[in-house]
Amino acid sequence: MMKYSIIISVCTWLLGCSAPQQEQRINAEIELPFYTEETFTPTWIDEDDDTYDSIHQIAPFSFIDQEGNTITDETMKGKVYVANFFFSICPGVCPKMAHNLHLVQEKYATDDRVKILSHTVMPWVDSVARLQEYATLNQIHADQWHLLTGDKTKIYELARNSYFADEGFGKTVTTEEDFLHTEKLILIDSQRRIRGVYNGTLPLDVKRMMEDISTLLD
């Protein structure tokens, strides 16, 4: 009787240990959602749905990076990329985001399918030369991680209307004092659609984002 009790106990223990692995495998098979408006409400849309071809996309853009190269939506064609908004003299949130984005740079250093686009929200301060200096100080690799500058109005319009990157919904660039800043990291798929939103100051959130990047690559 003791022998059978031991066998039952071992079987129960084995089943109990395998349950979390089964749950993790099921979760891994769940498709990433789309985000189509500023509340970032996740939406799952099947490819055979009538609205699939009209899912919100990032609008065409053209900015200059820290190397003086023009980076456009065509440059990102077929790429999975992370977008964020920062400025080089930011003392608090931006250094945390930069530190955590290094995790992405390191993990995908040899994968040309993954890029990072960091848009300055202070282009009157962040010239190409200033961004190059910032890149050097922060060990940012220009072939993978582009620090972008350009016209303020165009950057802010893209941030608010395409990336929904401002907490103040519906804002427009109306005065010189208008300012945008956010700690969001926004994951964009190879067809310029938003697939994830994360807190760039939290390493755990960035690690979750990297899992989602790998899902998109697969």
mmCIF file of all heavy atoms in Angstrom, residues 6 18 31 50 82 91 114 130 133 150 167 169 211:
data_model
loop_
_atom_site.group_PDB
_atom_site.id
_atom_site.type_symbol
_atom_site.label_atom_id
_atom_site.label_comp_id
_atom_site.label_asym_id
_atom_site.label_seq_id
_atom_site.Cartn_x
_atom_site.Cartn_y
_atom_site.Cartn_z
ATOM 1 N N ILE A 6 3.374 6.038 -2.847
ATOM 2 C CA ILE A 6 4.557 6.745 -3.339
ATOM 3 C C ILE A 6 4.447 6.993 -4.832
ATOM 4 O O ILE A 6 4.736 8.078 -5.338
ATOM 5 C CB ILE A 6 5.841 5.947 -3.010
ATOM 6 C CG1 ILE A 6 6.044 5.903 -1.496
ATOM 7 C CG2 ILE A 6 7.050 6.562 -3.715
ATOM 8 C CD1 ILE A 6 7.177 5.005 -1.073
ATOM 9 N N SER A 18 4.542 19.961 -14.608
ATOM 10 C CA SER A 18 4.420 20.190 -16.042
ATOM 11 C C SER A 18 3.352 21.204 -16.391
ATOM 12 O O SER A 18 3.353 21.768 -17.475
ATOM 13 C CB SER A 18 4.111 18.874 -16.765
ATOM 14 O OG SER A 18 2.853 18.364 -16.329
ATOM 15 N N GLU A 31 -1.743 35.470 -30.552
ATOM 16 C CA GLU A 31 -1.283 36.511 -31.473
ATOM 17 C C GLU A 31 -1.159 37.855 -30.762
ATOM 18 O O GLU A 31 -1.937 38.174 -29.868
ATOM 19 C CB GLU A 31 -2.272 36.645 -32.633
ATOM 20 C CG GLU A 31 -2.344 35.430 -33.552
ATOM 21 C CD GLU A 31 -1.111 35.300 -34.428
ATOM 22 O OE1 GLU A 31 -0.427 36.325 -34.627
ATOM 23 O OE2 GLU A 31 -0.831 34.183 -34.891
ATOM 24 N N ASP A 50 -12.650 42.119 -42.854
ATOM 25 C CA ASP A 50 -12.770 43.196 -43.843
ATOM 26 C C ASP A 50 -11.939 44.420 -43.477
ATOM 27 O O ASP A 50 -11.553 45.194 -44.354
ATOM 28 C CB ASP A 50 -14.241 43.619 -43.995
ATOM 29 C CG ASP A 50 -15.096 42.539 -44.630
ATOM 30 O OD1 ASP A 50 -14.516 41.668 -45.311
ATOM 31 O OD2 ASP A 50 -16.327 42.565 -44.451
ATOM 32 N N VAL A 82 11.418 49.683 -32.719
ATOM 33 C CA VAL A 82 10.930 50.307 -31.491
ATOM 34 C C VAL A 82 11.069 51.808 -31.648
ATOM 35 O O VAL A 82 12.141 52.297 -32.017
ATOM 36 C CB VAL A 82 11.735 49.834 -30.269
ATOM 37 C CG1 VAL A 82 11.210 50.514 -29.000
ATOM 38 C CG2 VAL A 82 11.689 48.328 -30.140
ATOM 39 N N PRO A 91 17.170 64.922 -17.784
ATOM 40 C CA PRO A 91 17.942 64.422 -16.648
ATOM 41 C C PRO A 91 17.395 63.158 -15.996
ATOM 42 O O PRO A 91 18.105 62.509 -15.240
ATOM 43 C CB PRO A 91 17.865 65.582 -15.650
ATOM 44 C CG PRO A 91 16.511 66.179 -15.917
ATOM 45 C CD PRO A 91 16.263 66.035 -17.399
ATOM 46 N N VAL A 114 15.788 44.320 -37.012
ATOM 47 C CA VAL A 114 15.322 45.044 -35.823
ATOM 48 C C VAL A 114 16.060 46.373 -35.703
ATOM 49 O O VAL A 114 17.289 46.424 -35.737
ATOM 50 C CB VAL A 114 15.545 44.209 -34.546
ATOM 51 C CG1 VAL A 114 15.051 44.966 -33.322
ATOM 52 C CG2 VAL A 114 14.841 42.863 -34.665
ATOM 53 N N ARG A 130 24.969 67.327 -32.043
ATOM 54 C CA ARG A 130 24.646 67.038 -30.645
ATOM 55 C C ARG A 130 24.208 65.579 -30.489
ATOM 56 O O ARG A 130 24.602 64.905 -29.528
ATOM 57 C CB ARG A 130 23.540 67.986 -30.165
ATOM 58 C CG ARG A 130 22.994 67.675 -28.781
ATOM 59 C CD ARG A 130 24.072 67.764 -27.719
ATOM 60 N NE ARG A 130 23.568 67.321 -26.418
ATOM 61 C CZ ARG A 130 24.285 66.684 -25.514
ATOM 62 N NH1 ARG A 130 25.562 66.403 -25.750
ATOM 63 N NH2 ARG A 130 23.759 66.317 -24.373
ATOM 64 N N GLU A 133 27.206 63.289 -30.603
ATOM 65 C CA GLU A 133 27.904 63.314 -29.316
ATOM 66 C C GLU A 133 27.168 62.460 -28.289
ATOM 67 O O GLU A 133 27.782 61.693 -27.541
ATOM 68 C CB GLU A 133 28.001 64.758 -28.821
ATOM 69 C CG GLU A 133 28.690 64.913 -27.472
ATOM 70 C CD GLU A 133 28.668 66.351 -26.973
ATOM 71 O OE1 GLU A 133 28.233 67.249 -27.722
ATOM 72 O OE2 GLU A 133 29.089 66.574 -25.812
ATOM 73 N N GLY A 150 14.695 66.856 -36.699
ATOM 74 C CA GLY A 150 14.033 67.433 -37.864
ATOM 75 C C GLY A 150 13.122 68.570 -37.439
ATOM 76 O O GLY A 150 13.300 69.164 -36.367
ATOM 77 N N GLU A 167 0.389 61.768 -23.679
ATOM 78 C CA GLU A 167 -0.703 61.506 -22.749
ATOM 79 C C GLU A 167 -1.855 62.502 -22.917
ATOM 80 O O GLU A 167 -2.990 62.212 -22.565
ATOM 81 C CB GLU A 167 -0.201 61.549 -21.299
ATOM 82 C CG GLU A 167 0.600 60.327 -20.868
ATOM 83 C CD GLU A 167 2.006 60.292 -21.451
ATOM 84 O OE1 GLU A 167 2.420 61.302 -22.065
ATOM 85 O OE2 GLU A 167 2.674 59.255 -21.328
ATOM 86 N N PHE A 169 -4.338 63.622 -25.025
ATOM 87 C CA PHE A 169 -5.005 63.232 -26.261
ATOM 88 C C PHE A 169 -5.505 64.472 -27.007
ATOM 89 O O PHE A 169 -6.057 65.395 -26.436
ATOM 90 C CB PHE A 169 -6.195 62.319 -25.982
ATOM 91 C CG PHE A 169 -5.827 61.030 -25.314
ATOM 92 C CD1 PHE A 169 -6.742 60.350 -24.541
ATOM 93 C CD2 PHE A 169 -4.551 60.503 -25.447
ATOM 94 C CE1 PHE A 169 -6.400 59.159 -23.915
ATOM 95 C CE2 PHE A 169 -4.202 59.317 -24.823
ATOM 96 C CZ PHE A 169 -5.134 58.644 -24.056
ATOM 97 N N GLU A 211 10.473 39.907 -26.021
ATOM 98 C CA GLU A 211 9.768 38.654 -26.325
ATOM 99 C C GLU A 211 8.787 38.879 -27.472
ATOM 100 O O GLU A 211 8.643 38.037 -28.357
ATOM 101 C CB GLU A 211 9.052 38.146 -25.081
ATOM 102 C CG GLU A 211 9.970 37.693 -23.963
ATOM 103 C CD GLU A 211 9.220 37.346 -22.678
ATOM 104 O OE1 GLU A 211 7.975 37.440 -22.697
ATOM 105 O OE2 GLU A 211 9.867 36.962 -21.693
#
